[in-house]
Amino acid sequence: MTQQQTAGGDVRLTGISKTYGSFTAVHPLDLTVPQGSFFALLGASGCGKTTTLRMIAGLEEATTGTVSLGGRDITDLPPYKRPVNTVFQSYALFPHLDITENVAFGLRRRGVKSVKKQVDDMLELVQLGDFARRKPHQLSGGQQQRVAVARALINHPQVLLLDEPLGALDLKLRRRMQLELKRIQTEVGITFVHVTHDQEEAMTMADTVAVMNGGRVEQLGAPADLYENPRTTFVANFLGTSNLIEGQVVPSGSDLVVSAGGGTLTLPRERCSAPAADGGRILLGIRPEKISLAHADDAHTIADGRNRVTGRVVDSSFIGVSTQYVVESPAGKALQVYEQNIERDTRLVPGAEVVLHWNPAHSFGLDADQDIDAGAASVEDAA
Ligand SMILES: Nc1ncnc2c1ncn2[C@@H]1O[C@H](COP(=O)(O)OP(=O)(O)OP(=O)(O)O)[C@@H](O)[C@H]1O
Ligand SMILES: [Mg+2]
């Protein structure tokens, strides 16, 4: 692995913002992208991802703030003087030039005479060596996309910006290209800043994900960290699915005890990102795959110390690797439960009385003064 993690080439955004008239597309933002990392900006349509990327590229003038690269302030540099290249959703290859000449374009423009070796190396990197003499229209979407990446990388940028580069591809090809791009990034060790509205894409590819909402970064972290420890309802709902149960904090010892739907649930204090005063409202979150489902007749077999909610199955869908249940309960109208398909309990059909149970340590606590559905609709919009 050639990846370098020295601080020398970090991209640093300081108080950067963008307003169009009275509309703020990006609120003042502080962000550091470590050199050599794969960084994703994730968020729903219109949240300010492209605007942020364009400010890094110099294609958009920032209203306030600065952009620096490796400690050098590049805020006032024109785009072509920044050691940064961008790959857009529409690859905009030159249709009349073959693949070699498309990739060689940046070198030729800078007056480089012998391009063959570098172009060959690039085509090998993106595994298109056999396609050198074809025209863009003779390639598939994924192949064209790789040409676009090669064309940008041949300029040896310090940072490659990718704005929804896989948006035009069908799902299967998209998944393959995600792995391919990740491989290329690891091989060249260049910083990638990747914009996407697809949470799965961001999680598969990136070392660090910044979740944006309404022109702000709501939370930033490694994919697993964001998924396991969401701090807002938006992040909890936008990144995968979360059950959010509203309850009241009851006075207790070390762990928080939350009363909800006529029962009580345990929430480790360190798993709670909200101020949790006794008597105050709180949202207890639990991911669908962390919940086990027992038929009510088997309730006595559930181990002590687990959180329990009783309810009734209202819907179940068998999707091969798992079965997804919707359970109605006093604690929540439509709790989602994903059961891995190992041994299916045939009694778990709509109408069945069930007990949902989980390890309290998998619960997370959120401030109840938020829209409980924030981020949930955006996922459907993006699909
Ligand atoms: N030139 C402009 N003038 C006015 N408003 C603009 C301009 N460009 C962008 N906006 C607004 O700024 C907001 C952020 O736009 P941006 O393109 O950054 O969103 P995005 O997160 O990239 O969305 P998408 O996923 O749809 O590409 C949007 O509400 C958009 O309408
Ligand atoms: Mg965009």
Side-chain angles (χ1 to χ4, degrees):
M1 202 149 98
T2 54
Q3 201 160 321
Q4 294 168 356
Q5 293 286 357
T6 52
D10 293 358
V11 177
R12 194 180 295 267
L13 309 182
T14 311
I16 199 134
S17 75
K18 182 72 194 180
T19 55
Y20 296 105
S22 61
F23 176 74
T24 304
V26 177
H27 293 269
L29 179 66
D30 295 311
L31 199 66
T32 299
V33 181
Q35 176 179 337
S37 66
F38 200 126
F39 191 94
L41 284 173
L42 170 70
S45 182
C47 73
K49 306 180 295 294
T50 295
T51 306
T52 304
L53 205 70
R54 288 173 61 85
M55 290 193 285
I56 300 175
L59 298 166
E60 199 77 67
E61 197 183 330
T63 307
T64 64
T66 60
V67 183
S68 71
L69 185 60
R72 184 163 73 114
D73 189 333
I74 58 167
T75 316
D76 297 323
L77 282 189
Y80 65 91
K81 285 198 177 156
R82 300 187 185 200
V84 168
N85 268 92
T86 312
V87 177
F88 298 99
Q89 173 171 356
S90 56
Y91 332 120
L93 301 177
F94 303 112
H96 55 290
L97 298 181
D98 67 14
I99 301 315
T100 295
E101 285 308 313
N102 263 282
V103 174
F105 184 77
L107 298 180
R108 296 236 190 264
R109 201 173 49 175
R110 282 187 279 127
V112 179
K113 291 268 154 49
S114 50
V115 300
K116 185 165 184 334
K117 168 91 176 66
Q118 286 193 63
V119 171
D120 287 350
D121 287 351
M122 274 303 145
L123 288 180
E124 195 183 328
L125 176 72
V126 299
Q127 298 178 341
L128 285 177
D130 298 339
F131 298 83
R133 289 296 156 202
R134 290 208 195 168
K135 296 280 176 61
H137 72 91
Q138 294 167 315
L139 299 184
S140 73
Q143 289 163 344
Q144 292 184 39
Q145 201 275 337
R146 283 182 276 162
V147 175
V149 170
R151 189 176 60 172
L153 285 177
I154 204 163
N155 301 316
H156 298 292
Q158 267 177 276
V159 182
L160 188 69
L161 306 174
L162 302 120
D163 194 353
E164 303 264 6
L166 310 180
L169 307 179
D170 69 48
L171 192 65
K172 237 184 175 143
L173 189 51
R174 203 180 161 109
R175 296 281 173 254
R176 220 172 66 214
M177 284 305 303
Q178 289 166 4
L179 301 175
E180 189 66 5
L181 272 181
K182 179 73 197 161
R183 175 191 65 78
I184 292 170
Q185 191 268 340
T186 309
E187 212 163 307
V188 296
I190 289 173
T191 311
F192 277 33
V193 183
H194 182 98
V195 159
T196 179
H197 62 253
D198 179 337
Q199 46 104 10
E200 205 170 307
E201 179 164 307
M203 291 209 279
T204 333
M205 301 174 80
D207 306 310
T208 307
V209 178
V211 183
M212 287 188 78
N213 182 24
R216 291 189 170 85
V217 171
E218 284 227 358
Q219 197 175 339
L220 179 149
D225 177 44
L226 288 177
Y227 186 82
E228 302 294 353
N229 310 300
R231 288 202 302 269
T232 65
T233 55
F234 181 84
V235 175
N237 292 324
F238 193 75
L239 230 59
T241 300
S242 294
N243 295 298
L244 298 175
I245 297 169
E246 186 164 355
Q248 197 173 21
V249 180
V250 241
S252 66
S254 58
D255 285 340
L256 293 171
V257 174
V258 178
S259 120
T264 58
L265 300 167
T266 304
L267 170 64
R269 202 170 279 274
E270 70 277 8
R271 302 270 308 142
C272 185
S273 62
D278 288 346
R281 286 162 60 242
I282 199 153
L283 295 174
L284 183 146
I286 182 74
R287 296 286 191 181
E289 73 280 9
K290 313 275 194 207
I291 303 178
S292 301
L293 203 56
H295 192 271
D297 292 348
D298 298 341
H300 62 279
T301 63
I302 300 169
D304 287 346
R306 289 176 67 83
N307 277 337
R308 299 161 180 245
V309 166
T310 54
R312 181 188 302 119
V313 175
V314 290
D315 191 27
S316 85
S317 6
F318 176 73
I319 56 161
V321 289
S322 67
T323 303
Q324 306 195 344
Y325 298 93
V326 182
V327 176
E328 198 176 64
S329 90
K333 275 200 289 288
L335 299 174
Q336 308 272 337
V337 181
Y338 302 164
E339 284 277 276
Q340 234 192 309
N341 185 18
I342 304 168
E343 277 137 25
R344 292 172 65 213
D345 185 340
T346 51
R347 296 171 298 169
L348 299 179
V349 292
E353 300 290 334
V354 290
V355 181
L356 288 65
H357 57 104
W358 67 91
N359 181 347
H362 293 150
S363 314
F364 53 88
L366 302 177
D367 193 336
D369 283 342
Q370 305 176 70
D371 174 7
I372 195 167
D373 293 322
S378 321
V379 174
E380 277 151 36
D381 292 348

